[in-house]
Structure formats: C-alpha cells, structure tokens
Amino acid sequence: MSGSGSGLVVGVDVGGTFTDLFLLDPASRSFRSCKVASHRGDEARGFANGLSLLCRDESGSPKNAKRFLGCPSCLAPADDIMPLEALRIAGAVVHGTTVGTNALLERSGPKVGIITTAGFRDVLEMRRRDRRRVWGLWGDFIPLVERDMRMEVGERTLADGAIRRHVDPTEVRAATRRLLAAGAQSLAVLFINAYANPENERRTAAEIRSVWPNEYVTASHEVLAEIREFERFSTAAINAYLQPVVGAYLAKLEAWLAARQFGGGLHVVQSNGGVMSVASARRLPVRTAVSGPAAGVVAATALAQAAGFENVITCDLGGTSFDVSVIAAGKAAVAPQTTVDFGIVIRTPMIEITTIGAGGGSLASVDRGGLLQVGPESAGSVPGPACYGYGNARPTLTDAQVVLGRINADRPLGELKSLDVEAAKRAVATHVGASLGLSVVEAAEAIVQVAEARMAGAIRLVSIERGHDPDHFILMPFGGGGALHVAALIRQIGLKCALVPRLPGITSALGCAIADLKHDVVQTVSLMLDELQVEDLEQRMLIAGRAAHAVVAGAGILIERTDIVYELDMYYLGQTHTLAVPVCITDGTYGPLGLTQDAMRAAFEQAYSVAFSRLLPGLPVGIMSLRATAIGKRPAFDASVFAPQPCSSLEKARQGERQVWFDGGWRQTGIWSRLDLPAGSVIQGPAILEQPDSTTVIEPGFSGRTDPLGNLILELAS
C-alpha cells in the first residue's frame, strides 16, 4: 500500500447550481454529506461553504444534522466521525470541477500566445473542414487564440523525426517578447511533427520558461505525443488557455485548506474517471474537461456492480444539464477525444458522456413558431428557478415540478428553507400557459413532457443508435433531479427497470471520493504489424508504462496497488480511424510483456469484430500509437455503508399524502421519507419519496423496492 494520509476522504463536486460533498470514513463505515449552492464565477466559494458545513460540529443542532447527514432520523453513521477534526485528519480532498469547461464554453479565459512552425499559423482555424451548420455554406468560428497572437519561427522536424532545421533561440526570444508585450498570460509551443521528435519543442519551451513570468507554458508533446496536427495543436492550445484559470482556482482552494490545517492532499478528478494530483492538474488542466460528470459515472459503476447489475445507462440531471453515459459489462465507455464546442477539440481519453441542456434550471419558453422549448439556457443557481425567489420570473423545469406538486415546496434541496409556489405558477402561466392557451398545471405538465422527450432522445443516442438493446440495460438516474423523471424514461425507452442510488443527489461527489488514480501516456509509433520488431515495441511500451506509473506513485494518495493497462491503436491499411485494442495488463512490474504478432492480430480482430460485426481479411494491419495507462487502485468501496439502518420502518417513513398531478389529473399520492424505508420495502405508485438531496417520483403503474444496500429498484408493476 502506498500514498500518505488517513483513509478519510472528502469528495467535492461543483456543479452549475449545487456543490455536493461526501465525506467517507471507510474504517468506521460512516459518512456525511451535504449540498450547498454553487457560485458561478467564484466556484471556490461553494467549495469552501460546503466543507465548512460538512466538517462543523452539529451535535447541538439536530435540525442541521437531520438535513445533512446520511441518515435523517438515526445519527449512528455520523457519530463515529469527529466533525471538527475531520478536515484536519482527512487523507484527501478529491474534487470534480467544471471550471475549465465553463471557461471554454463562455470564452472567459485569458489571452494566450502561440509560437509555431513557419507556415502553420492557421492550423487551429483550418480544423477538419467541418462546418457549424451542416447544410449551410456560412458559419463562423472564433479560435481561442487570435491570429495576431500566433507567432511563427523557422524550424522544421520531418515526419520520420529527422530535424531539417534547428530552432533559433534568438528568434524564439523575440517572438516571446512580442507576445508578452501583447498581453499574453500563457503560451503554447506547437511545432509540426513534434510527436515524432520533440527536440525543437523541448529547446524552445526551455528558452521560454527561462524568461516567462509565470509557470503557464505548454509544449504540445508534453500534452499529446500523438500524430494528427490539428488535434495535437488544439489540445495543447486549450491546455494553455486553461492553465491560468484552473491554476488560480486550485491555488485558491489549496490556500483555503492550508489556512484550516488540512492534513492531506487536494486532488482532481480527470475526464477519464481517474484522479490526479493538483500538480498534474495545473500542468494538464485540459484533462479535467468533463471532470464532475465523469465522477458520477465512476460512482454509478461501483453502485451498480454492488447491486448485481453490469449494464447500466446513467442519467445525471443537475441544475444546468442532463448527462448520459453507458456502462456495458461493468465498464464505462471511454472515447479518445471530444468536442466541447464547435471547433474546440480535445484529444485525451475521457468517459463518453452525452450532454444536453435539460437540467432543473433549464428555462422554458415558447418560440416564434409556437413551439414549447426547454433549455439549453439555464437559470443556474443565481437567480435560479422562479420559485427560489431570487428575482427570476421565467419558468424552469423545477418550477413546473413544483406546480405539479412533485417537489415539496417546504423541503427544497440545498440551503433554501422553502420554495415560492405562487412565483412558480406565475412564471409558468405567463410565459407558457398564456402563449399556448393552457391552464397553469397543463402548461407545467407540457414543460415536463418536452424535457423528458429530450432526455429520452439523449438516451437513445447512446444506447439504441450505438447498437445496445435497452431491454438488457437498467437506468440509473442521479443528480438532484434525475429521480423525478425515472418512470417516464423507463416507459419511453423500454428499459427493464431503474436503480435509484441511496443518495442520488450526491452521486458525483461519491465518485470523487472512491475514484482510482489514473494517468495515460500515448506515443505514436506508425508501424505495420507484419514488419515490426516485437522486442522494440515492448521496450517502448515499458518506457511509457514506467512514465505513467511514476505519475501515479507521486500523487500522494492512499492506494493498494498499481495496474498498468497497455493498448495499441490499430487499423486496417487504408483506414483513417484507429481502434484502441487492449493487449496486456500488468501489476506494475516491468518484466517482458510476452507480446507476439499473432496475439496482437487476434486481439485486434476480436475488438474489430465487436465494434463493427465483421473483419476485413487479407488487409495488412497497422499500429498507429501505443498507450499505457497506470491505474492506482484505491481501497475497495463497501456499498453496504448505505444499507438502511435498523431503526428504519414503514411507519416512520410514512409522511402522509398530498395531491400530485399525473396524466392530466390530480391524484392522492403517498409521501414517504426515502431514507427511513427499511430493506425489502415495496411502495406502489403513485408515490413521492423525499430526502434531503433528491426527490423520487413513482408514477401510477410503477412500484419501487428497497434493496439491502438502500437502492430503490423501480419498475412497471406486474
């Protein structure tokens, strides 16, 4: 076992509306959680507020204890933790953040300078000849780095790695001075063919770093040593764009923790679902692009496996977005690259997540054609939905749920004491009902139905349209609002059932607390399988494995062992795209990998057959790149920590009834305290299950069953 600090871990997920926190003490099998408002533009504030609330002594405040601890009426899980000391003795704070993503989407980052090879100044604008509007001839694209901030220098490395022209330090210094004078706060070095030989880039970066006033200097080979110039240039330029933003944010968090005598380390969740150190995050912030949503998929994988499910479609519905991902055979789908916005391409391994603007704060409106739209614009946390009472008069999805009686206005999420039902009704009636000639409840129902249709479309995109049979998958909704829509999504998609986690509203924070460490090293090799020297390839793979292992070992967080997964990006001759093919897994030792040409070919053919249901016999096979991923295994998460408490009972859970709108009419609906339900409870719909972090709606015709781990299994009633 390596790393430092105690086993006590705090997971923090900063979303667009709420910041969720989860404190886990594996030794005593106890936990504590809370949800506070996020502060857009000052995300560190929500982080600090949440940690202060999570770690304060609440023994004299039963109301707060009931609201923010794992079990609302039995304080046993939290009694084992000394809250005043929790932050000081914690082994780690692991953070999932959207700070970098928001900076990209809002173009709120700093001015960046680029030094590139003469003649390649416009690679970032040429892109891949894609168009914003597929069927139009016109479209706009504004690169992250303005053209006059891209300087050319005379150097040239050939595709085989030979250096035709060495870089001139005098020319580099002159370009650097011009960029500094123009106001550049960070700088990227993007040289052609640097993946094949980084020598010119390395010399240039060293020259720049000797005079640059801060640490924000990126060389493309340090971020992505892989062929394809646009993807490498784009990824490195984005890294330079994010370094000042993410670096300043993380420095602020570290200072806040240090001032409170934090005894462990701050770590960040990557887009691939792994954890990295703050030092790595400052150097490679581009790897945090979908940090928070990726943590949710990590937690969903662990919870589903503990409950006995291997195939899962995850649905994370927060305040601003609806994020969907697929877990097949117990593994999350991982993509080699993504596009954050048009033309903003990031090539780094990340969990495949499809995102639409359909969160609880998504605004509803009627367009000029008379069609009801929900999202993508969001009210966020400030001003938030109309029912928050912070000045917004436009209706949101949350307002519609309040009007329909599905959200309890007296028990809202987060720190609000109550919701303004009348404000929600006015917003829905004024902006939707009046335009469509509907009553306020009919308009609210229409808002929910349109949002659910968009959600169902996103689920079909990642399942049916990619060859997955929904009948073989369960749905796992989480986030503050996911469980409100679970029955409708089961019905529309045809899934067999849904598993609602014990604490759906803090699932991503849980993922932060339990995620393994990961680091990827990729190197282009450009070899044909029939012609390669296996020993040489093995040696290069082992070097990459050692480099990845060193990063994980130096992260300073408690791990039990390190596995290294070796993959090859392979293709049939003549194909443009490659397929990632796992060829070997080791336990971190560096003996021979035992590779053979026949074994690599068999692995490729198996992966190709699974992906495309056919082979292309007779065509030569190539290897474009090798990849080594070091995985630092954290102590296994015991999901029984969420098991219902012995004091749970149906009598205690029953909270009465209220009128809730379903299928065009009001229905008398049972109200239950979700966290007080004992294992084996069966609740027939219609029913509302309430808890501090989320609300679950069991529609008429559905039933919910509590399993031994506290999950709710929801399915059509037989």
Side-chain angles (χ1 to χ4, degrees):
M1 186 174 290
S2 62
S4 61
S6 73
L8 197 68
V9 180
V10 181
V12 186
D13 174 53
V14 178
T17 302
F18 289 109
T19 294
D20 305 323
L21 298 96
F22 184 86
L23 187 153
L24 175 66
D25 185 358
S28 63
R29 295 185 66 255
S30 56
F31 68 92
R32 183 181 285 247
S33 65
C34 71
K35 182 183 285 284
V36 299
S38 296
H39 294 269
R40 197 65 175 269
D42 186 11
E43 286 80 0
R45 181 179 171 189
F47 180 103
N49 289 345
L51 276 177
S52 298
L53 176 63
L54 190 72
C55 297
R56 75 185 183 192
D57 186 357
E58 295 173 343
S59 58
S61 178
K63 181 178 179 181
N64 282 339
K66 181 176 180 180
R67 188 171 194 72
F68 294 109
L69 300 186
C71 178
S73 56
C74 174
L75 301 185
D79 285 342
D80 296 330
I81 297 177
M82 296 292 292
L84 286 173
E85 298 297 322
L87 190 59
R88 295 178 185 176
I89 67 173
V93 172
V94 184
H95 183 26
T97 175
T98 56
V99 169
T101 306
N102 292 339
L104 289 173
L105 293 174
E106 298 168 1
R107 300 297 181 96
S108 57
K111 182 172 282 192
V112 176
I114 285 176
I115 294 179
T116 189
T117 306
F120 291 87
R121 184 184 188 186
D122 297 315
V123 168
L124 291 177
E125 290 186 71
M126 293 170 64
R127 305 186 312 282
R128 289 291 176 190
R129 299 179 66 182
D130 49 351
R131 292 179 292 181
R132 184 183 289 274
R133 298 173 183 84
V134 176
W135 304 112
L137 296 177
W138 299 97
D140 59 333
F141 172 73
I142 301 175
L144 290 176
V145 183
E146 301 169 2
R147 195 170 192 270
D148 60 2
M149 295 297 291
R150 298 177 233 144
M151 303 294 175
E152 297 181 346
V153 295
E155 72 82 35
R156 191 57 186 263
T157 301
L158 303 182
D160 63 0
I163 296 179
R164 173 178 288 178
R165 180 176 179 181
H166 289 278
V167 69
D168 181 355
T170 303
E171 195 175 2
V172 169
R173 287 193 294 270
T176 302
R177 285 194 293 269
R178 289 198 297 271
L179 291 171
L180 275 173
Q185 298 177 44
S186 65
L187 192 148
V189 183
L190 313 177
F191 285 170
I192 193 74
N193 295 326
Y195 69 89
N197 183 349
E199 183 60 26
N200 273 353
E201 267 200 0
R202 189 179 293 116
R203 290 183 177 182
T204 299
E207 189 71 35
I208 294 169
R209 287 178 175 131
S210 68
V211 298
W212 197 254
N214 56 49
E215 62 180 334
Y216 306 134
V217 177
T218 295
S220 73
H221 74 276
E222 297 171 344
V223 179
L224 184 66
E226 192 174 348
I227 196 171
R228 293 191 172 92
E229 301 309 287
F230 166 64
E231 285 78 9
R232 180 164 53 84
F233 278 32
S234 176
T235 304
I238 292 169
N239 195 75
Y241 188 80
L242 294 180
Q243 274 191 317
V245 177
V246 176
Y249 171 69
L250 293 177
K252 190 173 183 178
L253 296 184
E254 283 191 307
W256 187 90
L257 290 168
R260 284 150 185 84
Q261 300 179 341
F262 174 50
L266 176 63
H267 305 271
V268 180
V269 177
Q270 303 180 68
S271 302
N272 64 5
V275 174
M276 62 179 172
S277 67
V278 165
S280 294
R282 283 176 169 168
R283 186 171 58 87
L284 298 170
V286 71
R287 295 193 176 186
T288 69
V290 290
S291 172
V297 178
V298 170
T301 303
L303 294 173
Q305 287 182 340
F309 296 98
E310 291 280 301
N311 298 322
V312 184
I313 297 173
T314 69
C315 304
D316 180 2
L317 195 153
T320 57
S321 65
F322 181 72
D323 303 317
V324 186
S325 190
V326 170
I327 301 167
K331 294 183 178 179
V334 177
Q337 72 179 48
T338 192
T339 301
V340 175
D341 193 8
F342 176 69
I344 308 299
V345 174
I346 299 174
R347 187 164 180 84
T348 185
M350 58 185 62
I351 292 177
E352 279 193 281
I353 296 172
T354 297
T355 300
I356 62 172
S362 293
L363 294 166
S365 61
V366 178
D367 64 19
R368 289 181 295 179
L371 296 178
L372 177 59
Q373 305 289 344
V374 180
E377 186 182 359
S378 173
S381 57
V382 179
C387 60
Y388 280 19
Y390 293 153
N392 173 39
R394 300 169 64 188
T396 66
L397 181 57
T398 294
D399 292 311
Q401 297 283 20
V402 169
V403 170
L404 298 176
R406 300 178 185 181
I407 292 178
N408 188 342
D410 294 325
R411 296 187 64 186
L413 304 185
E415 299 167 290
L416 291 172
K417 297 185 182 302
S418 64
L419 301 177
D420 189 337
V421 179
E422 294 305 315
K425 288 180 177 179
R426 285 194 301 272
V428 171
T430 302
H431 293 273
V432 176
S435 300
L436 299 179
L438 301 175
S439 69
V440 64
V441 288
E442 290 171 335
E445 185 176 40
I447 291 171
V448 172
Q449 289 174 343
V450 168
E452 289 173 343
R454 294 192 64 209
M455 296 175 199
I459 294 173
R460 291 189 187 97
L461 180 64
V462 302
S463 59
I464 298 172
E465 295 184 23
R466 295 182 184 175
H468 298 296
D469 183 353
D471 190 51
H472 297 159
F473 284 75
I474 68 163
L475 187 71
M476 185 182 289
F478 54 90
L484 287 163
H485 306 274
V486 57
L489 295 176
I490 289 176
R491 187 172 55 246
Q492 291 191 39
I493 303 299
L495 297 155
K496 60 181 181 181
C497 68
L499 184 148
V500 184
R502 176 75 162 170
L503 300 175
I506 55 88
T507 299
S508 291
L510 168 64
C512 294
I514 67 175
D516 294 329
L517 278 75
K518 283 187 182 180
H519 188 76
D520 302 286
V521 173
V522 184
Q523 181 183 357
T524 292
V525 292
S526 295
L527 300 169
M528 298 307 298
L529 182 59
D530 292 334
E531 301 170 1
L532 66 82
Q533 296 294 321
V534 176
E535 296 79 6
D536 292 343
L537 178 64
E538 270 204 12
Q539 188 61 32
R540 296 170 78 168
M541 294 174 71
L542 287 169
I543 291 172
R546 289 190 183 96
H549 193 178
V551 174
V552 167
I557 191 170
L558 191 68
I559 58 176
E560 293 188 331
R561 71 177 196 275
T562 301
D563 294 339
I564 301 179
V565 178
Y566 294 97
E567 294 181 327
L568 298 173
D569 292 341
M570 304 178 72
Y571 62 100
Y572 281 118
L573 184 64
Q575 292 181 330
T576 300
H577 298 286
T578 61
L579 189 65
V581 180
V583 293
C584 184
I585 300 177
T586 74
D587 60 359
T589 57
Y590 297 106
L593 300 179
L595 299 181
T596 65
Q597 289 179 333
D598 289 343
M600 287 184 279
R601 186 185 305 277
F604 170 68
E605 290 180 347
Q606 180 182 3
Y608 198 93
S609 180
V610 170
F612 303 109
S613 301
R614 60 172 299 185
L615 296 176
L616 302 177
L619 285 182
V621 175
I623 301 174
M624 182 64 70
S625 301
L626 63 84
R627 188 186 316 274
T629 301
I631 304 174
K633 292 289 186 178
R634 302 273 297 284
F637 171 65
D638 183 1
S640 66
V641 70
F642 294 136
Q645 297 299 310
C647 59
S648 301
S649 69
L650 285 173
E651 292 75 18
K652 184 181 294 185
R654 182 77 185 198
Q655 302 293 302
E657 296 182 336
R658 70 169 179 260
Q659 292 285 309
V660 179
W661 185 273
F662 291 108
D663 299 324
W666 293 103
R667 299 281 297 269
Q668 193 71 7
T669 302
I671 309 300
W672 302 82
S673 171
R674 162 83 189 277
L675 299 182
D676 281 319
L677 289 173
S681 302
V682 177
I683 307 297
Q684 300 292 336
I688 303 291
L689 278 57
E690 298 178 346
Q691 59 191 101
D693 62 299
S694 185
T695 297
T696 302
V697 174
I698 303 179
E699 294 189 5
F702 285 80
S703 66
R705 170 178 53 85
T706 304
D707 75 1
L709 299 177
N711 301 303
L712 182 74
I713 310 298
L714 194 145
E715 56 195 347
L716 281 164
S718 55

